[in-house]
Amino acid sequence: MRALKALVIAMAVVLAAGFVLIVAELGRRVMAPEAETAYAAALDLPPGADVIGTALGDRRLALRVRLADGAERLYLLDASDGSLVGTVELGPRAPDAPAGEGS
């Protein structure tokens, strides 16, 4: 009878430990941030173009590019997969204007 009682107590302890482990793992998965997926993206810039600025928004990456003729263009990329969302033409900047002013 003592052996049966000890076996029942041991199984209850193992069962309780299993529940604690399951709850702990669920909590860890809920609280852990999602792993970010890396991706490779290629953006074909015109010849002579230089990236002069970047900005990261909610789900967008903006690249400010100076073209060979002096005009500037924004390339808007989807930050989750690197796909091109659109472009914005900014026009040429006045030659004597500082980098932060003008277009």
Side-chain angles (χ1 to χ4, degrees), residues 8-54:
V8 169
I9 291 172
M11 287 191 306
V13 169
V14 169
L15 188 62
F19 281 127
V20 168
L21 288 174
I22 289 172
V23 169
E25 180 64 19
L26 288 174
R28 185 187 67 82
R29 289 186 185 190
V30 167
M31 298 306 255
E34 292 183 22
E36 294 189 23
T37 306
Y39 60 87
L43 181 63
D44 293 326
L45 296 177
D50 292 317
V51 176
I52 58 172
T54 61

Side-chain angles (χ1 to χ4, degrees), residues 41-54 61-68 71-77 84 86-89:
L43 181 63
D44 293 326
L45 296 177
D50 292 317
V51 176
I52 58 172
T54 61
L61 173 65
L63 300 177
R64 187 171 186 156
V65 176
R66 180 169 295 126
L67 305 174
E72 294 181 0
R73 181 182 298 159
L74 285 179
Y75 287 89
L76 301 174
L77 306 173
L84 181 65
T87 60
V88 178
E89 300 293 331

